Amino acid sequence: AKSQGRNNYQLYDIRMNLLAKEQLQMEEALRKALVRDEFVLHYQPRQHVASGQITAVEALIRWQHPKLGLLYPSEFISMAEETGLIVEIGEWVLRTACLQNKAWQKMGINPKRVSVNISSIQFQRDDFYQTVLKVIEETGLEPFWLELELTESMVMRNATMTIAKLNQLRELGVKISLDDFGTGFSSLSYLKLFPIDIIKIDSSFIQDVSADSKDAAITKTIIALSRRLKLSVVAEGVETYEQLSFLRSRKCNEIQGFIISKPLAEEEITLFLQAR
Ligand code: C2E
Ligand code: CA
Ligand code: CA
Ligand code: CA
């Protein structure tokens, strides 16, 4: 029994070593990707329902891996969070998105907001505000054209600290949206406490909005509530005309999804925006 215990222990040890090794390798790979400039941003447009105007584009990261090809966030963001590299990657995303928006303005494209997904690890840091300020100053983008996408669960945790941080950012002029709304476990009455501008209804509610009466009821309620709180409301993952007509009839402000466009690489989105 004693030797078996030792064997188990050794096996466990080997496994832990492998895990640690993989983690180190991944960290190394992500770090190299940053240095070698292998990350790219794709951009997905967001449309105002009533006017048909493009109001914003969301920056979505991809990793152009030299061997594995184009990798999506689900394949590397959690690793970036575990290794802490998300802080540097996130700052790169912020800077690149601001520079791109500035470049579009210089090209004479009708100004739009650019929205950037923020990881809880970035947001939690004491220097988050300083980082945003620095990027805005360095890129020269007016803060009004930048939107930060935070998730419900990030915001609800540590409410006092969060409210102070959000107020600081909003004083700067940056817009704040609550992403994946409806998937967290926040109390709706909490919403009025948080200084936010936009609510993005999670695509899981939109998917069956025309067929499933429960999802339709939830979506209607979120839209009505947003209206009451004077927040703009965006539906995510809109793919069909049935979904769009439901959202239009309920007076959802904006939509994002394949019905308008999938996320596009830099050149494609630039052409898309120039054509509008
Ligand atoms: P998200 O913020 O909810 O982004 C929306 C996701 O839905 C994107 O996936 C987008 O490609 C996809 N999508 C958009 N429209 C449709 C549609 O009509 N139908 C369907 N089926 N899907 C649609 P993507 O680009 O793979 O990003 C996944 C998630 O990764 C994002 O979810 C976001 O949470 C995270 N992410 C992306 N970029 C960044 C980043 O720069 N930093 C951080 N921290 N997270 C990021
Ligand atoms: Ca998002
Ligand atoms: Ca989302
Ligand atoms: Ca998401």
Side-chain angles (χ1 to χ4, degrees):
K2 210 174 182 181
S3 74
Q4 191 166 6
R6 175 179 294 162
N7 280 341
N8 280 340
Y9 180 74
Q10 281 176 342
L11 199 60
Y12 175 80
D13 214 34
I14 289 164
R15 281 209 189 109
M16 287 316 282
N17 267 325
L18 271 178
L19 268 179
K21 217 170 153 188
E22 269 174 31
Q23 177 118 354
L24 267 177
Q25 280 171 353
M26 189 65 186
E27 185 174 347
E28 181 71 11
L30 285 168
R31 203 177 284 284
K32 273 191 189 152
L34 257 177
V35 175
R36 295 179 183 164
D37 219 16
E38 289 169 3
F39 292 112
V40 289
L41 293 183
H42 284 191
Y43 297 89
Q44 187 178 37
R46 188 162 107 196
Q47 192 177 62
H48 187 240
V49 176
S51 68
Q53 296 250 21
I54 301 299
T55 45
V57 291
E58 178 174 3
L60 296 158
I61 195 170
R62 276 92 182 89
W63 179 1
Q64 188 64 66
H65 194 283
K67 291 202 188 91
L68 304 173
L70 194 67
L71 301 181
Y72 283 77
S74 60
E75 295 168 283
F76 62 89
I77 286 290
S78 58
M79 255 308 164
E81 288 177 330
E82 278 165 41
T83 57
L85 273 171
I86 192 67
V87 174
E88 276 171 75
I89 295 172
E91 188 174 333
W92 177 86
V93 172
L94 203 55
R95 177 171 288 107
T96 307
C98 289
L99 282 173
Q100 181 64 69
N101 204 10
K102 194 79 192 163
W104 285 327
Q105 291 183 10
K106 285 190 186 131
M107 291 166 75
I109 287 171
N110 221 352
K112 334 245 163 269
R113 219 178 271 152
V114 68
S115 72
V116 173
N117 292 285
I118 304 297
S119 156
S120 64
I121 293 176
Q122 283 174 279
F123 185 72
Q124 242 49 259
R125 286 176 60 101
D126 291 334
D127 62 358
F128 181 67
Y129 172 79
Q130 286 306 322
T131 303
V132 174
L133 185 62
K134 182 180 72 181
V135 169
I136 279 173
E137 283 172 355
E138 286 172 6
T139 60
L141 184 74
E142 295 99 307
F144 174 81
W145 298 116
L146 175 64
E147 177 178 322
L148 304 178
E149 299 199 4
L150 312 173
T151 61
E152 235 174 318
S153 49
M154 278 162 70
V155 168
M156 299 304 159
R157 187 183 317 147
N158 200 348
T160 317
M161 186 271 281
T162 300
I163 291 169
K165 251 184 199 180
L166 294 182
N167 275 327
Q168 242 188 332
L169 289 163
R170 278 175 100 222
E171 268 164 41
L172 202 60
V174 170
K175 302 289 174 200
I176 308 289
S177 54
L178 269 195
D179 201 3
D180 305 341
F181 190 79
T183 61
F185 294 94
S186 57
S187 146
L188 288 179
S189 63
Y190 249 53
L191 264 185
K192 68 173 182 217
L193 298 176
F194 291 91
I196 57 169
D197 304 283
I198 298 134
I199 282 183
K200 298 187 82 175
I201 308 174
D202 192 70
S203 54
S204 60
F205 299 107
I206 306 303
Q207 207 154 35
D208 298 319
V209 91
S210 34
D212 181 319
S213 63
K214 283 183 189 162
D215 284 346
I218 293 169
T219 301
K220 275 186 232 173
T221 305
I222 299 175
I223 295 172
L225 178 77
S226 306
R227 202 159 269 287
R228 282 276 188 89
L229 296 172
K230 302 212 162 33
L231 302 172
S232 187
V233 62
V234 182
E236 288 194 295
V238 182
E239 295 181 353
T240 69
Y241 282 100
E242 286 79 8
Q243 293 164 346
L244 172 57
S245 87
F246 175 89
L247 293 162
R248 179 178 281 129
S249 74
R250 310 313 311 189
K251 302 224 157 38
C252 181
N253 301 103
E254 294 169 70
I255 55 166
Q256 192 179 333
F258 295 168
I259 195 170
I260 308 300
S261 167
K262 59 180 188 160
L264 300 171
E266 184 186 331
E267 281 130 68
E268 296 172 289
I269 186 76
T270 301
L271 290 173
F272 177 97
L273 294 176
Q274 281 172 328
R276 307 279 303 198

